Amino acid sequence: MLPRRLRYVYVAIAALVVYLWFSGHSPTSLRPHRAPQHAPSLRYKNVNWSRYAYFQYATSTAYLCNSVMIFEALERLGSKADRVLLYPEKWDTQIESVTDRDSQLLVKARDWYKVRLVPVDIPVTHDRNEDAEELNATFTKFMAWGQSRYRRVLHLNSDITLFKHLDELFLLPSAPVAMMRAHWTLPTKKTLASNLILLQPSEDEYGRLMTASRPDIRQAGESDSDILNRFYGDSAMVLPHTPYGLVTGEFRIEDHRNYIGNSFDPWDPERALQEASLVHFLDDPFPKPWIMWPHNLYAEKHSQCKAEDCRNKDAWTSLYNDFRKRRK
């Protein structure tokens, strides 16, 4: 029989081990607005974060609202880098009435989320075709290359939900451009995805990209992604699509090898959400989450439960519901 004092020592050691284990292995919530979990190496204080910036642009009220949601998430998740928003110079920050939604959102971004507002002449070609006009607006992202006050800029599409901030990307080895592969097009096509672009501003590149995007120069139907692939398809640093490239369409398909990267690891929707830094709402034929769809589309196209396993369906539904709830 152990002496009483020695038994107390063993109990204390056991309690300490249990505490250290759970403090370092806490379960991660599946809620999209959970707190970030980053390596301690990102907590040092000798980084000049004013040299790095998240970049957003807005050409309509709908996308301005999305951008403000991203800035809110960056603030809540503890991001240290600057935040920049480009918007049409015809907008202003003088709130004239309760219905002046654009001004309200701009002021909120500036005052609540520390966003640097930059009014610019948005290069939008007015077109009777709404799809063509929206396509023209996407070339505004090329203005990120003109943000020469920063060493690095991170452009994110605004149709996403952020789970964690992405400050660690700014500290990657130097490269003019870093992007992910569009894994959902593999193996048929091997292209870069334009929903996340880590770039080093350059006046020369800015000029080249803006020239290439002019309606009288670019090819008919050529998108911003097409131009970026033409410029950087063979030279960009390729970022891993896990954890930065999860798309909502992944929860409605059967074959997950392109996302997982192999054919032997099982697909686990809950684990995918836990590990992801963001999710991109890319899910044809479903429209973006701020646009309501016909009820029959959901019934016809949504994935069904299999053997009482509804995790894919539940994850997909919760992502859309969460986005809409936060957007109200």
Side-chain angles (χ1 to χ4, degrees):
M1 187 110 182
L2 292 174
R4 178 177 299 179
R5 180 174 299 177
L6 191 56
R7 291 202 302 268
Y8 288 158
V9 170
Y10 285 158
V11 170
I13 292 174
L16 179 60
V17 169
V18 171
Y19 170 78
L20 292 175
W21 172 263
F22 282 104
S23 64
H25 295 77
S26 58
T28 303
S29 169
L30 288 179
R31 298 180 65 190
H33 38 283
R34 63 180 180 269
Q37 296 183 5
H38 288 282
S41 60
L42 284 179
R43 298 172 187 163
Y44 52 71
K45 299 179 180 180
N46 60 344
V47 175
N48 183 359
W49 290 108
S50 66
R51 306 183 73 176
Y52 308 103
Y54 291 87
F55 176 88
Q56 289 283 294
Y57 70 91
T59 58
S60 68
T61 303
Y63 283 93
L64 174 58
C65 185
N66 294 346
S67 294
V68 173
M69 290 171 64
I70 289 179
F71 292 132
E72 182 278 329
L74 290 171
E75 176 72 12
R76 169 170 39 84
L77 297 172
S79 170
K80 303 298 184 183
D82 279 9
R83 300 152 201 169
V84 178
L85 172 64
L86 271 59
Y87 65 95
E89 57 186 4
K90 65 181 180 181
W91 294 355
D92 59 52
T93 55
Q94 302 299 316
I95 302 175
E96 298 178 352
S97 68
V98 293
T99 61
D100 189 357
R101 188 61 172 158
D102 295 335
S103 296
Q104 291 173 357
L105 289 170
L106 289 173
V107 169
K108 187 171 187 177
R110 182 193 65 195
D111 295 349
W112 290 29
Y113 308 130
K114 308 179 185 70
V115 177
R116 185 169 71 88
L117 302 179
V118 183
V120 294
D121 181 14
I122 299 290
V124 176
T125 301
H126 297 288
D127 196 300
R128 294 180 181 179
N129 185 311
E130 290 185 2
D131 291 336
E133 187 160 337
E134 182 174 340
L135 172 64
N136 289 326
T138 64
F139 297 112
T140 308
K141 70 179 58 172
F142 294 164
M143 288 187 169
W145 273 263
Q147 301 300 306
S148 56
R149 67 187 290 173
Y150 297 106
R151 172 181 290 180
R152 253 181 170 164
V153 168
L154 180 59
H155 168 267
L156 300 171
N157 275 11
S158 64
D159 52 344
I160 66 172
T161 288
L162 274 176
F163 299 153
K164 308 168 187 175
H165 69 67
L166 310 177
D167 287 3
E168 71 275 10
L169 293 179
F170 294 114
L171 307 182
L172 289 175
S174 178
V177 174
M179 301 169 66
M180 295 177 292
R181 294 288 182 199
H183 65 87
W184 53 90
T185 67
L186 296 172
T188 307
K189 295 174 62 178
K190 188 178 180 181
T191 60
L192 298 171
S194 61
N195 56 315
L196 184 156
I197 309 169
L198 180 68
L199 61 102
Q200 294 175 179
S202 163
E203 290 296 334
D204 290 340
E205 288 298 280
Y206 171 55
R208 292 177 63 221
L209 287 165
M210 295 305 293
T211 298
S213 67
R214 281 170 42 187
D216 60 326
I217 292 181
R218 72 175 186 265
Q219 299 177 9
E222 191 173 34
S223 68
D224 61 292
S225 182
D226 294 329
I227 293 176
L228 289 170
N229 273 276
R230 179 152 55 86
F231 275 53
Y232 308 113
D234 296 326
S235 61
M237 176 193 291
V238 178
L239 299 172
H241 57 260
T242 55
Y244 305 112
L246 183 62
V247 299
T248 49
E250 196 69 35
F251 297 94
R252 290 199 308 112
I253 62 175
E254 298 291 333
D255 188 349
H256 302 280
R257 288 177 296 178
N258 286 346
Y259 181 76
I260 295 174
N262 60 59
S263 58
F264 48 84
D265 284 334
W267 164 252
D268 184 338
E270 294 176 346
R271 179 178 177 180
L273 280 174
Q274 288 175 335
E275 295 178 347
S277 294
L278 60 87
V279 65
H280 181 203
F281 289 91
L282 184 65
D283 198 7
D284 186 63
F286 286 92
K288 299 302 182 182
W290 60 92
I291 302 173
M292 298 304 296
W293 53 71
H295 180 71
N296 63 316
L297 179 64
Y298 181 87
E300 293 173 3
K301 299 296 183 180
H302 199 284
S303 60
Q304 302 301 315
C305 300
K306 291 188 175 182
E308 299 184 357
D309 184 355
C310 297
R311 290 180 300 161
N312 282 299
K313 184 176 182 179
D314 291 345
W316 187 95
T317 303
S318 68
L319 288 168
Y320 277 81
N321 288 343
D322 172 80
F323 186 96
R324 290 169 176 163
K325 181 179 179 180
R326 288 183 294 111
R327 200 171 189 272
K328 289 182 179 179

